[in-house]
Amino acid sequence: MKVICTEKSQILATNLAKVLKTTVTEVKYSRFPDGEQYLITRELDDETIIVGSVVDNDALVQLLLIIDACDSSKNRLVLPYMGYARQDKRFRQGEPVSARAIAQALSRGVSEIITVNIHEKEILRYFGVPARNITLAYDIGSYIKTLNLDNPLILAPDEGALAFAEHVASTGRWDFDHLEKNRLSGVEVRMAPKQLCAASRSVVIVDDIISTGGTIATASGMLYQQGAKDVFAVCVHGVLTGGAYVRLMASGIRDVVCSDTIERGCSKISAASQIARVIKKSDPEKNKKE
Ligand code: R5P
């Protein structure tokens, strides 16, 4: 079994290959004069783990080209971050269900798909092949332990992320809660933990995605006003668009950390071991022997 990856998922793929005790296949990339992408790999295997996050349109095209180049029905696709997943419904007439369009395109040419903290589990049914989702809640919990915080409060930025915050908190038996927005007047909004008090506590805001960082930056300012000692932000997918990292650090957040599903300077958590665990479990050869 070999691993192959797109350019933007090289570090995760290399870490994954190490855990799987295999190597990453080399790919040569170039472009046609009109800008279209071209790639070639010379080390084809009949069972390859393809790793590629859809972080932008180029990464999506590269992933489709790699799937086609590898050309074996035994190949499995690891989709650490699935861009376009937030448009998972037709909210208004005439819109696409983008998550479905991307899921269907990526299902052609692979036997199974593994996603990581996919935005909405319902998206899994859009893939044309069996798809499973793993969570990095445990790994985020392990990272938080390295911060040696005294009795931290794990906070979800909204009620929708509460189950994730609960899962993270369970790894260290920490308190957890979610932020609630209360409109004080026409212009004034207050964000505070729904049940618990942030005063004198270290708070870790956890979420699946940090995109613009807008919600967390506002929350951090308010948590400090409520007396929080430190505020940290930890997410799975660091989309960090439009200067989000700078905005978050300027809001007083002590550190912003994400995993390597999107490779960033602040990717301090690796998805490699969780992905490897699922791959080993679903290895058809290994399962035959057992
Ligand atoms: C929303 O559904 C996601 O889970 C994140 O909470 C959201 O994408 C974060 O967005 P932003 O960083 O732009 O506030």
Side-chain angles (χ1 to χ4, degrees):
M1 182 202 296
K2 287 238 182 193
V3 171
I4 196 166
C5 62
T6 54
E7 281 173 294
K8 291 196 172 150
S9 293
Q10 295 176 59
I11 299 170
L12 174 55
T14 305
N15 288 332
L16 177 64
K18 265 188 217 153
V19 186
L20 293 174
K21 298 190 169 55
T22 183
T23 51
V24 184
T25 298
E26 266 194 59
V27 182
K28 284 199 166 57
Y29 305 94
S30 59
R31 289 198 184 251
F32 289 103
D34 59 4
E36 287 177 358
Q37 298 191 65
Y38 171 83
L39 57 83
I40 185 163
T41 176
R42 299 195 191 280
E43 305 165 51
L44 291 170
D45 195 351
D46 68 348
E47 198 190 335
T48 302
I49 305 295
I50 302 167
V51 184
S53 277
V54 175
V55 291
D56 54 35
N57 295 340
D58 265 358
L60 171 63
V61 173
Q62 206 171 76
L63 189 53
L64 291 169
L65 298 182
I66 288 184
I67 293 171
D68 197 76
C70 290
D71 194 24
S72 161
S73 58
K74 286 189 190 163
N75 292 340
R76 283 176 278 175
L77 170 64
V78 177
L79 192 55
Y81 172 67
M82 181 182 173
Y84 291 95
R86 282 174 285 177
Q87 178 73 22
D88 59 338
K89 291 180 187 67
R90 182 170 285 129
F91 299 95
R92 285 187 299 172
Q93 195 61 24
E95 286 180 347
V97 181
S98 310
R100 181 177 59 196
I102 301 297
Q104 288 176 353
L106 291 172
S107 301
R108 292 185 204 109
V110 294
S111 61
E112 188 188 9
I113 294 179
I114 298 161
T115 60
V116 181
N117 287 95
I118 196 156
H119 182 60
E120 194 51 68
K121 289 229 181 82
E122 284 292 293
I123 295 170
L124 296 178
R125 68 189 166 89
Y126 291 147
F127 291 103
V129 292
R132 62 174 82 189
N133 180 59
I134 61 168
T135 177
L136 299 190
Y138 174 83
D139 310 77
I140 289 182
S142 302
Y143 171 75
I144 294 171
K145 284 182 191 158
T146 68
L147 300 173
N148 291 319
L149 304 173
D150 180 27
N151 189 23
L153 168 60
I154 310 301
L155 262 190
D158 52 44
E159 200 174 353
L162 185 63
F164 182 60
E166 180 176 6
H167 195 169
V168 172
S170 71
T171 65
R173 299 189 179 171
W174 301 307
D175 292 339
F176 65 94
D177 200 350
H178 72 85
L179 282 162
E180 197 176 49
K181 261 188 207 171
N182 286 306
R183 187 159 287 285
L184 304 179
S185 69
V187 284
E188 231 186 325
V189 171
R190 183 176 184 265
M191 281 174 100
K194 184 173 166 65
Q195 316 259 5
L196 303 173
C197 176
S200 311
R201 298 193 72 170
S202 293
V203 178
V204 186
I205 305 177
V206 295
D207 205 355
D208 60 342
I209 300 173
I210 297 179
S211 183
T212 65
T215 318
I216 295 185
T218 311
S220 120
M222 298 209 170
L223 288 165
Y224 281 120
Q225 276 173 22
Q226 290 154 33
K229 193 159 75 176
D230 305 299
V231 181
F232 295 81
V234 185
C235 72
V236 177
H237 310 296
V239 173
L240 301 177
T241 194
Y245 184 84
V246 172
R247 177 180 306 127
L248 286 165
M249 294 307 278
S251 76
I253 294 221
R254 278 277 301 278
D255 207 4
V256 179
V257 167
C258 64
S259 82
D260 55 3
T261 57
I262 302 179
E263 297 175 358
R264 302 283 185 209
C266 57
S267 297
K268 295 186 185 166
I269 298 161
S270 181
S273 42
Q274 296 293 352
I275 296 169
R277 200 174 48 81
V278 171
I279 288 174
K280 284 182 195 157
K281 243 199 223 161
S282 68
D283 184 342
E285 284 309 304
K286 187 172 161 271
N287 291 343
K288 231 186 270 167
K289 282 179 216 147
E290 280 173 0

